[in-house]
Amino acid sequence: MYRDPEAASPGAPTRDVVLVSAIITVSLSVTVVLCGLCHWCQRKLGKRYKNSLETVGTPDSGRGRTEKKAIKLPAGGKAVNTAPVPGQTPHDESDRRTEPRSSVSDLVNSLTSEMLMLSPGSEEDEAHEGCSRENLGRIQFSVGYNFQESTLTVKVMKAQELPAKDFSGTSDPFVKIYLLPDKKHKLETKVKRKNLNPHWNETFLFEGFPYEKVVQRVLYLQVLDYDRFSRNDPIGEVSIPLNKVDLTQMQTFWKDLKPCSDGSGSRGELLLSLCYNPSANSIIVNIIKARNLKAMDIGGTSDPYVKVWLMYKDKRVEKKKTVTMKRNLNPIFNESFAFDIPTEKLRETTIIITVMDKDKLSRNDVIGKIYLSWKSGPGEVKHWKDMIARPRQPVAQWHQLKA
């Protein structure tokens, strides 16, 4: 029987099937190679095109950078222009996605640190500190006259934002009321313990006082911090001539407290810096210098030195002090002291800085004090918060010494 040689044996592929399979295989291989070359070319061309865009720049990319060029800092700061400097090669797009937080924050932090560093002798800094020094709080009171009973009525209502005078970062305020020029007869409110925003709501009557004499007097209110073991510390005062007030009905006033006229507001100033290190749980206090200190000696000078007390919850923890500068009202100390303070105890911590006058023959005199904490006066609180906001960097500030 004749058998065709072209015929395939059962189960064996024919020549046409093998040929088609080979053609399909070669086509797929060529396709894969071409796709790989195309992808490689796209990457090369895309990178080259991207680099050219970065070098030349486009309106859209430039506009996108310009929208973020200004960074607003806290009050008193300046707008920082972070746009690229002409002639400087911009960063790669991927770098812009990963770096802006760190680079921008570093820039803001560095500028903020520079603004917080108040350089001695700067007129702007002195003016700024002058504003904070004058903020002694304010007091609300009312005054009126009863013509039928010939009685002057004075009501002391409340005070706000009083500065701290005690170790605990607070005060125990009360008010003395005088009708100047008479200082022999005075009336007093109750003491409000540990309160910088006290409410008194106490009424005082000056009975049997003819109206003709009342209008010749000056109503004088003095706010003081009560101290059980020593002299009461003056906080501030307010005076108002009664001939300038309509006394026919009760008139209510809000008045800013001014430094007391007994000289407590002119004790001098101290420049110091604070540096907080959270990893080491420490604060470094640098006593830099003082100026215009009050003369405490008969010869019209002083022998100043500085004591630094670390307080925690009204308890004394540690004390440091500088050397004594003989006969010098503008001493330069430049002495640093380190205190160990865990982060969780910061809110209950107060640093008390006292400028003293050394006296060989008698007790050393206090020239003035500064209380640094979360709860002190406005200038002190600002310095404390600036220290926390700028860890591991010294923040310097001038402070007015207080009684």
Side-chain angles (χ1 to χ4, degrees):
M1 180 182 290
Y2 173 78
R3 187 184 296 270
D4 188 358
E6 296 290 331
S9 61
T14 63
R15 183 183 303 173
D16 292 340
V17 173
V18 172
L19 182 61
V20 171
S21 299
I23 292 172
I24 292 174
T25 302
V26 171
S27 299
L28 289 174
S29 301
V30 171
T31 302
V32 171
V33 171
L34 290 176
C35 288
L37 288 173
C38 183
H39 182 65
W40 181 80
C41 291
Q42 284 181 346
R43 285 194 302 168
K44 281 293 184 181
L45 291 174
K47 186 173 182 180
R48 185 178 304 170
Y49 177 67
K50 180 180 177 182
N51 290 338
S52 66
L53 282 179
E54 290 179 350
T55 305
V56 176
T58 63
D60 292 338
S61 63
R63 186 163 54 248
R65 286 192 296 269
T66 303
E67 289 175 356
K68 297 182 180 180
K69 72 177 181 179
I71 300 175
K72 290 187 178 180
L73 301 179
K78 300 179 180 179
V80 181
N81 191 347
T82 59
V85 178
Q88 184 177 359
T89 305
H91 293 289
D92 188 84
E93 190 66 28
S94 61
D95 293 336
R96 270 203 299 271
R97 285 196 299 267
T98 58
E99 291 184 357
R101 289 191 177 181
S102 61
S103 61
V104 171
S105 62
D106 290 343
L107 177 61
V108 174
N109 290 339
S110 63
L111 289 174
T112 306
S113 175
E114 292 176 3
M115 288 188 296
L116 294 178
M117 293 292 292
L118 304 179
S119 57
S122 171
E123 295 180 359
E124 293 181 359
D125 296 339
E126 291 174 10
H128 175 78
E129 283 307 302
C131 294
S132 65
R133 287 197 303 267
E134 290 301 320
N135 189 0
L136 300 175
R138 58 179 188 156
I139 187 171
Q140 185 186 41
F141 61 95
S142 61
V143 59
Y145 187 77
N146 187 325
F147 287 88
Q148 293 181 351
E149 299 180 1
S150 298
T151 300
L152 178 71
T153 302
V154 178
K155 184 176 181 180
V156 180
M157 300 175 181
K158 59 184 177 180
Q160 292 181 346
E161 300 177 357
L162 297 180
K165 291 289 186 178
D166 297 337
F167 292 149
S168 59
T170 184
S171 293
D172 303 320
F174 70 100
V175 183
K176 289 183 180 180
I177 302 104
Y178 299 89
L179 290 180
L180 301 180
D182 180 16
K183 278 199 171 185
K184 293 182 180 180
H185 304 91
K186 68 178 184 295
L187 299 173
E188 297 181 1
T189 67
K190 296 179 180 178
V191 176
K192 296 297 180 179
R193 300 285 182 179
K194 297 182 179 181
N195 199 331
L196 301 181
N197 297 280
H199 288 247
W200 289 285
N201 290 321
E202 296 185 41
T203 301
F204 303 90
L205 303 177
F206 293 84
E207 299 175 336
F209 217 127
Y211 179 76
E212 294 76 15
K213 292 186 177 181
V214 167
V215 293
Q216 297 175 3
R217 299 298 179 96
V218 174
L219 177 62
Y220 175 78
L221 306 179
Q222 185 182 35
V223 183
L224 300 103
D225 171 52
Y226 174 77
D227 197 320
R228 181 183 301 177
F229 303 107
S230 63
R231 177 176 174 266
N232 297 327
D233 295 325
I235 295 177
E237 65 182 23
V238 167
S239 61
I240 178 170
L242 294 178
N243 60 0
K244 295 183 179 180
V245 180
D246 181 10
L247 297 175
T248 57
Q249 56 184 353
M250 294 294 289
Q251 301 284 338
T252 301
F253 301 90
W254 269 111
K255 292 288 186 179
D256 292 332
L257 293 172
K258 299 180 180 180
C260 294
S261 55
D262 60 355
S264 60
S266 58
R267 295 175 176 269
E269 297 172 284
L270 183 68
L271 177 64
L272 62 98
S273 71
L274 300 175
C275 182
Y276 173 58
N277 189 336
S279 58
N281 287 329
S282 68
I283 291 180
I284 297 177
V285 181
N286 184 17
I287 307 299
I288 302 174
K289 63 180 180 179
R291 63 186 180 190
N292 303 322
L293 294 181
K294 184 177 181 180
M296 305 298 287
D297 298 337
I298 297 177
T301 184
S302 293
D303 302 322
Y305 69 96
V306 181
K307 288 194 304 184
V308 184
W309 269 106
L310 175 65
M311 308 287 296
Y312 179 68
K313 289 185 176 181
D314 300 345
K315 295 181 180 179
R316 296 182 178 184
V317 179
E318 189 176 0
K319 182 183 77 170
K320 305 285 181 69
K321 66 178 181 178
T322 69
V323 298
T324 302
M325 298 293 177
K326 298 290 186 179
R327 298 179 182 178
N328 197 334
L329 299 181
N330 298 279
I332 298 176
F333 298 100
N334 282 328
E335 293 190 46
S336 297
F337 307 103
F339 296 94
D340 294 329
I341 305 175
T343 303
E344 64 273 12
K345 294 185 177 181
L346 275 177
R347 284 193 171 273
E348 299 294 334
T349 297
T350 301
I351 295 178
I352 303 176
I353 298 172
T354 307
V355 181
M356 305 287 297
D357 171 49
K358 182 76 172 180
D359 199 324
K360 293 181 179 180
L361 303 178
S362 63
R363 182 184 175 187
N364 298 332
D365 298 320
V366 175
I367 298 178
K369 295 182 179 181
I370 300 167
Y371 296 84
L372 297 170
S373 72
W374 285 100
K375 302 172 289 184
S376 303
E380 292 82 358
V381 170
K382 176 185 179 300
H383 198 178
W384 190 265
K385 290 183 177 180
D386 290 345
M387 172 195 70
I388 302 297
R390 302 298 306 130
R392 289 177 286 275
Q393 294 190 22
V395 181
Q397 183 172 316
W398 282 100
H399 290 274
Q400 178 75 33
L401 295 174
K402 300 176 181 179

